[in-house]
Amino acid sequence: QVHLVESGGGLVQAGGSLRLACAASGRSFSGMHMGWFRQAPGKEREVVAVSLRWTGARLYADSVKGRFTISRDYATNTVYLQMNSLKPEDTAVYYCAAGQGNSYSDYSQYDYWGQGTQVTVSS
């Protein structure tokens, strides 16, 4: 059975940092894209960052470029999201996801999801 478990969320002041982790288990994820998505109240789920399968290339939403970094540990099936210079608009539930679709930013292309972790940035 596949499980994705996020951790590391919390409350932080604007300008601060958080590091999210997603531990994946139940199958090999080396052949899958691993992504972080977020959803704020009343808004659609949106892509934050993706680590592409095979190439290891990293893609970011424009809103987080230069502030967030996605990394991936293939040995432990863990993906991280380092978030620096956090802003109140980064407040959302952050989800880890795994998938093999061609549209990396489309959440419907992802097969497996974690339960989410809340990130709250105060001004």
Side-chain angles (χ1 to χ4, degrees):
Q1 192 170 5
V2 174
H3 289 285
L4 300 178
V5 180
E6 302 100 336
S7 60
L11 173 64
V12 64
Q13 287 188 331
S17 299
L18 284 174
R19 189 191 194 206
L20 305 183
C22 172
S25 62
R27 60 159 291 164
S28 172
F29 288 87
S30 60
M32 305 190 83
H33 312 309
M34 297 294 294
W36 287 96
F37 290 75
R38 67 187 181 186
Q39 188 165 17
K43 294 188 177 181
E44 285 197 0
R45 192 167 297 191
E46 62 176 2
V47 66
V48 175
V50 179
S51 171
L52 299 184
R53 63 178 176 170
W54 309 136
T55 67
R58 307 173 190 183
L59 305 177
Y60 297 94
D62 288 343
S63 59
V64 306
K65 281 181 182 176
R67 300 188 297 122
F68 291 11
T69 302
I70 188 171
S71 60
R72 189 167 175 175
D73 185 336
Y74 287 90
T76 61
N77 271 343
T78 303
V79 62
Y80 301 94
L81 185 69
Q82 178 67 44
M83 305 186 294
N84 299 328
S85 302
L86 282 161
K87 304 175 181 180
E89 50 264 45
D90 295 318
T91 295
V93 178
Y94 283 70
Y95 298 91
C96 174
Q100 298 174 292
N102 291 325
S103 181
Y104 320 125
S105 63
D106 182 354
Y107 65 83
S108 69
Q109 297 285 304
Y110 287 77
D111 302 305
Y112 305 107
W113 290 86
Q115 81 287 353
T117 185
Q118 176 71 44
V119 171
T120 303
V121 184
S122 63
S123 57

